[in-house]
Amino acid sequence: MAIESPSLTPPRLSFPESRFLIGVGLAVALIAGLIFRIVGQLVLDPAQPLVVAGVFVVTIPAMWLLAVAIFRWRGHTGGARREAAAILVVPGMIIDALSTALFSVVYPNMEPTAGTLFGGLLLLAYATVLVAGFVTG
């Protein structure tokens, strides 16, 4: 009785498309970082829990719509959409690992205690993009 090894499936996204998506993910992360550098003290103020809650609530549909728009723009469906979602979040996750570790240096405009809120918001945003890649399309 022979045991068959599973066939290796070729990547669904081309290397140039993967590089493009890395660039898009990097651009989104840098723009979001810049926005939080400018207005972060207003939207992630631990003394304003309703504002913070509102930012968390708005993040879900905003990131969902952004991700789905990118998938549609680039024509990704099925497995390619899942790959695209994973590739989109990687640059931001790498940048944000550093920015949260150096939170008070990168975001001196925000209270140091806002770092936990910021980290939670990042996880929510990245999870939303990943779920959008796996659920839609």
Side-chain angles (χ1 to χ4, degrees):
M1 175 177 211
I3 298 175
E4 281 188 47
S5 63
S7 64
L8 298 175
T9 57
R12 292 175 192 94
L13 295 178
S14 67
F15 183 67
E17 181 64 14
S18 295
R19 283 192 345 202
F20 178 82
L21 291 169
I22 288 171
V24 170
L26 180 62
V28 169
L30 292 174
I31 291 167
L34 180 62
I35 290 168
F36 279 99
R37 179 62 181 86
I38 295 168
V39 299
Q41 72 279 7
L42 303 174
V43 297
L44 288 180
D45 181 357
Q48 301 290 328
L50 290 177
V51 173
V52 173
V55 171
F56 272 68
V57 168
V58 167
T59 295
I60 295 169
M63 294 307 295
W64 187 280
L65 291 172
L66 177 62
V68 170
I70 292 168
F71 302 148
R72 286 184 182 156
W73 171 44
R74 302 303 293 178
H76 299 308
T77 59
R81 184 171 279 211
R82 291 186 288 278
E83 287 181 36
I87 292 169
L88 277 172
V89 299
V90 167
M93 292 176 82
I94 292 169
I95 289 171
D96 290 332
L98 297 171
S99 71
T100 54
L102 302 169
F103 184 76
S104 59
V105 174
V106 177
Y107 300 104
N109 56 317
M110 289 195 257
E111 292 292 325
T113 56
T116 56
L117 297 172
F118 184 69
L121 184 65
L122 294 173
L123 288 172
L124 179 64
Y126 294 129
T128 302
V129 172
L130 290 171
V131 170
F134 280 79
V135 172
T136 59

